Amino acid sequence: MKQQFLWGGALAANQIEGAYLEDGKGLAISDVLECSPHRFMTTDLKVKEGVYYPSHTAIDFYHRYKEDLALFAEMGFKVLRTSIAWSRIYPNGDDDVPNEMGLGFYDALFDEMLRLGIQPLITLSHYEMPLSLVHRYNGWADRRLIGFFERYVRTVFTRYQHKVKLWLTFNEINVITKAPLIEGGLVIPEGVNRHQIIYQAVHHQFVASSLAVKACHEIIPDAKIGMMMLGLTVYPHTCKPEDGLKAFQIEQEEYLFPDIQARGVYSPAVHQLFKRLGVKLVMEADDESILKNYPVDFISFSYYSSKVATAEDHDSEVGGNFMKGIRNPYLKSSEWGWQIDPVGLRILMNKLYDRYGKPLFIVENGLGAVDEVGPDKKVHDYYRIDYLRDHLTQMKLAIDHDGVECWGYTMWGPIDLVSAGTGEMKKRYGFIYVDRDNAGQGTLKRIKKDSFEWYRKVIASNGEDLK
Ligand code: BGP
């Protein structure tokens, strides 16, 4: 492991900040999502009276970030991934001028990180586009979003050019095919070809992402900008060739996203896929050259789980947020049924590095679990330590044994936060416990869990001490 390896944690604005209408912020999609396992399916996109919305206060990071950053610094974080809420900068998404108070908040946040020696890694869009863009344009279905996004990213690149040198475009861009509302701001009417809407929308995101790469390199020549995908390792259910083919095909459909963002082309396989799905992309003359000319500098991904594929019809048994499959009998599951597969991380890192030859960054990985504060007022989360140790062991093998270039590791949710999938607080990832429950009750007090000291030692030893 190189000495400059970037250890840290990953957050997203809508899952931590709260202050949902403060200092000129507009409503974002997340602000109308309730605490429910079906929140991705929400169609009534407005704030309803008497309903609890987790993002409105979240963990109040907006007001408590100094205290939280100090704890991250105590663990020795070298990097912190978080996102800018587009709706703080352009409250309606297409405003002519940015909101100065929103810009000021991130100035203060980044200044404090840098003062503590923590480098910001910033996602431009993490499931939090301005809601107004959904109502008026149906999100990324409308090509005009490219221009609005470009205005937003040029604003933040210019403003933070001396503070932020690591950027990501769209969080888990491949999730658009599974959760089109939160990733793409899409409401898909009944009876239309949903593939057409989704792939057209993501084409707009691809172009916007390439234009963001172009703008980033122009405005901040020493910055690096990456793509971000939900990482997936797929195994065939049996050694029957048909199962092997199915596993390959499932992965291929996910690789479509980094293929375009890293290589800049729609492959022949994608053209065939579109034919089968009845998708006819509408492109403008320059789109292909924009994609080709401005690929990302690195590949980043989240990794929580693997999947088992079969060519036979089957009922989904287990899953993560966005992928269901057959139970793998060799793996254990989390309390939310996500199968835990550290070796799958090593496989994924090798596959991505082989395929693109670009540096990797693991920007999410962690265990969502029910943590209890014991009578001793402490949280003994040995299960989280086990999970992380096993994944870091495999990450190190990928780097040191297999030769994969990986710049860093940001553990998901170093402080408990609102779950993206369900809106729960009960599903905790953190090294730091936050006193708040699913109904929004609690003092918001922070408590260090046992894993806090463990991760401090991991970072201090540059990953040597995983005990
Ligand atoms: C990823 C998202 C994150 C995060 C994580 C854990 O898909 O990028 O925002 O939330 O999953 O998922 P959950 O919060 O549903 O447990």
Side-chain angles (χ1 to χ4, degrees):
M1 301 281 294
K2 292 196 176 134
Q3 274 312 317
Q4 64 270 33
F5 188 81
L6 292 169
W7 294 98
L11 308 164
N14 77 87
Q15 292 170 261
I16 53 166
E17 287 178 1
Y20 82 114
L21 288 180
E22 213 164 308
D23 293 338
K25 179 180 168 296
L27 283 177
I29 293 180
S30 48
D31 295 327
V32 294
L33 303 183
E34 298 176 29
C35 179
S36 149
H38 311 295
R39 67 200 311 245
F40 294 156
M41 309 311 230
T42 308
T43 49
D44 192 12
L45 297 171
K46 58 174 192 275
V47 176
K48 284 167 274 179
E49 204 142 314
V51 174
Y52 166 63
Y53 294 95
S55 73
H56 291 193
T57 304
I59 60 162
D60 196 31
F61 183 79
Y62 194 80
H63 299 112
R64 295 167 193 245
Y65 69 87
K66 285 195 177 156
E67 180 194 342
D68 295 339
L69 293 181
L71 290 167
F72 298 153
E74 198 181 323
M75 277 187 277
F77 277 26
K78 302 189 185 320
V79 66
L80 179 67
R81 174 185 176 220
T82 187
S83 58
I84 295 176
W86 183 354
S87 54
R88 282 201 195 284
I89 311 300
Y90 288 97
N92 298 293
D94 59 352
D95 315 70
D96 291 330
V97 285
N99 170 32
E100 179 54 36
M101 283 188 290
L103 287 167
F105 168 69
Y106 293 106
D107 262 325
L109 179 68
F110 301 152
D111 285 345
E112 184 66 4
M113 283 191 206
L114 294 171
R115 192 183 71 77
L116 294 165
I118 300 174
Q119 177 167 180
L121 162 60
I122 300 305
T123 317
L124 291 161
S125 177
H126 191 134
Y127 297 161
E128 57 216 345
M129 76 191 302
L131 184 63
S132 177
L133 294 178
V134 180
H135 288 314
R136 291 179 298 130
Y137 299 90
N138 198 14
W140 283 94
D142 193 311
R143 190 172 172 102
R144 283 173 289 181
L145 269 274
I146 297 174
F148 304 148
F149 188 75
E150 198 185 356
R151 185 187 310 166
Y152 155 62
V153 303
R154 283 188 172 269
T155 301
V156 297
F157 290 153
T158 305
R159 179 76 171 222
Y160 308 122
Q161 58 182 303
H162 302 299
K163 301 179 183 177
V164 182
K165 306 292 182 179
L166 286 171
W167 296 89
L168 301 175
T169 56
F170 294 93
N171 183 63
E172 295 190 333
I173 190 163
N174 51 328
V175 161
I176 195 166
T177 53
K178 296 121 197 137
L181 172 65
I182 59 159
E183 204 286 329
L186 303 174
V187 179
I188 303 180
E190 297 274 321
V192 301
N193 179 353
R194 69 194 305 272
H195 304 294
Q196 174 66 37
I197 296 189
I198 288 172
Y199 284 109
Q200 185 65 52
V202 82
H203 174 72
H204 297 149
Q205 290 192 332
F206 288 144
V207 174
S209 175
S210 296
L211 291 172
V213 171
K214 178 174 186 277
C216 182
H217 289 163
E218 271 169 26
I219 298 168
I220 327 176
D222 58 339
K224 299 286 181 205
I225 180 161
M227 65 84 60
M228 176 353 181
M229 73 181 293
L230 169 78
L232 188 67
T233 294
V234 187
Y235 305 112
H237 187 218
T238 69
C239 49
K240 198 161 63 175
E242 286 77 6
D243 282 354
L245 179 65
K246 187 72 190 173
F248 171 78
Q249 287 170 333
I250 291 173
E251 284 193 343
Q252 199 179 34
E253 277 188 31
E254 302 304 324
Y255 284 140
L256 175 164
F257 297 83
D259 277 1
I260 294 164
Q261 292 185 285
R263 292 170 168 166
V265 284
Y266 281 93
S267 69
V270 179
H271 288 298
Q272 290 304 110
L273 173 74
F274 286 174
K275 238 189 232 172
R276 285 196 301 280
L277 298 175
V279 173
K280 292 199 176 63
L281 277 197
V282 181
M283 289 207 198
E284 287 196 356
D286 288 346
D287 285 6
E288 281 180 307
S289 65
I290 291 171
L291 297 180
K292 187 80 205 152
N293 289 333
Y294 306 105
V296 291
D297 300 319
F298 65 99
I299 310 281
S300 79
F301 60 90
S302 60
Y303 178 80
Y304 294 93
S305 201
S306 56
K307 178 178 166 113
V308 175
T310 170
E312 313 279 327
D313 284 342
H314 68 95
D315 290 332
S316 294
E317 293 172 341
V318 289
N321 273 351
F322 310 110
M323 39 175 209
K324 299 262 183 275
I326 306 175
R327 182 173 299 282
N328 185 332
Y330 303 100
L331 302 177
K332 291 189 187 134
S333 296
S334 77
E335 288 161 294
W336 272 261
W338 297 18
Q339 292 213 280
I340 300 170
D341 180 10
V343 175
L345 172 62
R346 180 177 177 187
I347 297 171
L348 175 66
M349 291 175 73
N350 274 278
K351 280 189 180 170
L352 289 172
Y353 193 57
D354 274 358
R355 195 171 173 112
Y356 303 109
K358 297 204 181 213
L360 305 184
F361 208 130
I362 303 172
V363 295
E364 282 186 35
N365 172 240
L367 178 70
V370 178
D371 295 330
E372 303 287 353
V373 182
D376 57 356
K377 303 262 181 293
K378 294 189 170 158
V379 181
H380 302 295
D381 57 341
Y382 58 90
Y383 36 87
R384 178 166 296 107
I385 295 173
D386 288 347
Y387 176 102
L388 294 171
R389 177 192 299 115
D390 293 347
H391 283 81
L392 291 179
T393 302
Q394 294 301 321
M395 176 190 84
K396 283 174 60 186
L397 284 168
I399 296 170
D400 295 336
H401 181 277
D402 307 335
V404 171
E405 185 182 354
C406 178
W407 286 347
Y409 174 92
T410 55
M411 178 271 203
W412 175 252
I415 181 164
D416 292 347
L417 39 62
V418 174
S419 157
T422 63
E424 290 169 285
M425 274 302 299
K426 194 177 168 193
K427 189 178 189 187
R428 298 175 180 277
Y429 285 87
F431 300 122
I432 301 159
Y433 183 92
V434 176
D435 179 23
R436 191 165 174 85
D437 67 16
N438 282 357
Q441 303 299 311
T443 61
L444 289 166
K445 183 174 172 227
R446 278 65 168 149
I447 302 170
K448 294 177 199 169
K449 303 180 196 174
D450 286 359
S451 54
F452 184 100
E453 174 59 15
W454 174 83
Y455 198 51
R456 193 193 65 72
K457 283 201 265 178
V458 170
I459 298 178
S461 65
N462 196 28
E464 285 304 306
D465 183 359
L466 295 178
K467 285 191 304 295

